[in-house]
Amino acid sequence: MGSVVKVKASDGFAFDAYKAVPTGPARGAIVVLQEIFGVNAHIRRVTESFAEIGYVAIAPALFDRVQKGTELTYSEKDFDAAMALWRSSSQEDALKDVTASIDAVSEESQGKVGVVGYCWGGALSFIASGNLPGIKATVSYYGNVPAHLDVKPKVPLMMHFSEHDKHVCIDAVPAIRDLYPQALVYTYDADHGFNTLPRNTYQKESADLALERTLSFLSKHVR
């Protein structure tokens, strides 16, 4: 269903993105923001799943500026490689590529674009809610939101957090709720990466509930 396309950012850098389109008229578009493991088989499948329910979906390869074609597994060895790539990445450049991806699907979705991010992508989707133009709503899955509490969201925002997360400070959730009363904030009896099927922290009940909430939210704001 999907294919790799080229997208050019505002600084002229061309990067790959995995794009999937619905078989019928588009109800909107979703920019899918990767974990630190690249646009791997799992992220491609997530992208395709949004297309299957009617959205144009695109997942930019946010590591292309550091290493082209990054596709890692969830093994301990690949985790170390993923962290090294993440540390070598620039948030500013990543947001340029997210902006370009929003622009790339805006016309065919009549400007109805949402952003959904996971892990690193979850943090970027939160930042996008307050800083990037051209979006109607954002969803953050276990992103490091506590590191970016200066963001002032300008669009509807949903956040999913893991109660047993070792990478994101779950103790910050009450403060997040206080700072962003307009946002929908949910916690789950699960670990970081509970939505990632190939990961040993995958938790179906939490993943299904978070997806149900996400799709309802997107249906309301991105259509």
Side-chain angles (χ1 to χ4, degrees):
M1 179 180 289
S3 61
V4 176
V5 298
K6 285 287 185 184
V7 180
K8 185 175 288 188
S10 60
D11 61 355
F13 181 78
F15 58 93
D16 288 344
Y18 187 74
K19 184 178 180 182
V21 297
T23 55
R27 62 193 300 180
I30 303 297
V31 178
V32 179
L33 301 185
Q34 64 175 68
E35 307 159 308
I36 61 171
F37 304 95
V39 181
N40 58 12
H42 169 67
I43 293 297
R44 293 196 299 271
R45 180 64 196 120
V46 169
T47 305
E48 291 167 357
S49 71
F50 281 117
E52 288 167 2
I53 59 174
Y55 293 99
V56 176
I58 189 168
L62 298 177
F63 280 153
D64 267 12
R65 291 175 183 263
V66 180
Q67 177 179 287
K68 289 278 189 181
T70 299
E71 184 173 345
L72 300 171
T73 68
Y74 300 95
S75 68
E76 184 175 346
K77 177 183 177 182
D78 278 2
F79 178 79
D80 292 339
M83 288 298 293
L85 285 167
W86 174 71
R87 293 189 186 102
S88 299
S89 298
S90 158
Q91 178 178 292
E92 181 182 357
D93 285 342
L95 292 173
K96 288 176 188 174
D97 298 345
V98 175
T99 299
S101 301
I102 293 166
D103 293 343
V105 294
S106 182
E107 184 175 349
E108 59 195 302
S109 64
Q110 299 180 348
K112 299 172 291 186
V113 183
V115 178
V116 181
Y118 306 84
C119 182
W120 179 40
L124 292 174
S125 67
F126 175 69
I127 295 167
S129 73
N131 292 279
L132 302 190
I135 54 178
K136 299 297 186 184
T138 66
V139 179
S140 170
Y141 275 77
Y142 32 81
N144 192 13
V145 172
H148 304 282
L149 296 182
D150 57 335
V151 170
K152 294 177 171 55
K154 299 174 183 175
V155 297
L157 169 67
M158 175 177 284
M159 292 179 273
H160 304 291
F161 293 101
S162 312
E163 293 171 4
H164 308 290
D165 204 318
K166 301 176 183 65
H167 304 283
V168 177
C169 180
I170 188 66
D171 293 341
V173 169
I176 290 169
R177 287 194 169 110
D178 288 342
L179 278 171
Y180 307 108
Q182 76 280 24
L184 296 174
V185 181
Y186 299 104
T187 64
Y188 301 83
D189 183 14
D191 204 342
H192 189 85
F194 67 78
N195 187 72
T196 306
L197 184 58
R199 207 164 178 169
N200 60 12
T201 54
Y202 174 72
Q203 213 277 331
K204 186 178 187 303
E205 183 178 355
S206 296
D208 288 349
L209 179 56
L211 179 61
E212 179 183 344
R213 288 166 167 166
T214 294
L215 294 181
S216 176
F217 178 75
L218 294 173
S219 180
K220 180 179 179 181
H221 297 291
V222 184
R223 60 179 181 178

